Amino acid sequence: MLAAMSGAEPTPTEIRRLPESRRLRVVWDDGHDVEYDYRLLRGYCPCASCQGHAAVAIRFHEPGDRVDPVSIQPVGNYGISIHWSDGHATGIYRFDFLREICPCPECAAARDGEEDG
């Protein structure tokens, strides 16, 4: 609740790999708890190689073969870096970006509402 009152973006309190379901679980300080499919994260890689240098809107790129995170490292206090099993490791997944692509029904409905209005 403090993050919402101060205008600060929510930040994760926990990030954990769930290899059995091929998902990344992120628990946020505002209580939001979501699981991101590895395919979704790799497909939305935010790096310039995947999105272009002047990307206005981020695009999903089908990752093709099965990809899994080899390692996940923090980047400052604002994101994570994922080294993928396909050798790709240049994307920085900012926390605000992870919330932007959140696959939960609540966030998906909010995005659909923004596009309609």
Side-chain angles (χ1 to χ4, degrees):
M1 194 64 149
L2 183 59
M5 290 171 40
S6 68
E9 292 290 327
T11 56
T13 59
E14 177 185 344
I15 298 175
R16 182 184 331 157
R17 283 191 256 184
L18 304 173
E20 64 282 351
S21 63
R22 301 191 66 246
R23 294 178 183 271
L24 184 73
R25 180 176 184 221
V26 180
V27 179
W28 300 87
D29 63 0
D30 65 356
H32 203 65
D33 186 342
V34 65
E35 293 181 9
Y36 297 83
D37 187 272
Y38 292 162
R39 183 182 150 277
L40 176 89
L41 291 171
R42 178 62 181 93
Y44 275 117
C45 177
C47 80
S49 295
C50 293
Q51 298 298 328
H53 293 280
V56 176
I58 193 139
R59 298 177 312 268
F60 181 83
H61 298 277
E62 186 63 48
D65 295 335
R66 176 182 167 142
V67 291
D68 294 294
V70 174
S71 67
I72 300 172
Q73 300 296 321
V75 177
N77 291 322
Y78 66 92
I80 58 174
S81 174
I82 303 175
H83 181 173
W84 294 100
S85 58
D86 64 0
H88 194 72
T90 57
I92 296 175
Y93 294 79
R94 296 178 333 271
F95 298 146
D96 62 335
F97 173 72
L98 287 173
R99 284 300 284 257
E100 185 179 325
I101 65 167
C102 178
C104 83
E106 178 184 332
C107 291
R111 280 192 303 274
D112 289 344
E114 289 174 5
E115 291 173 5
D116 294 340

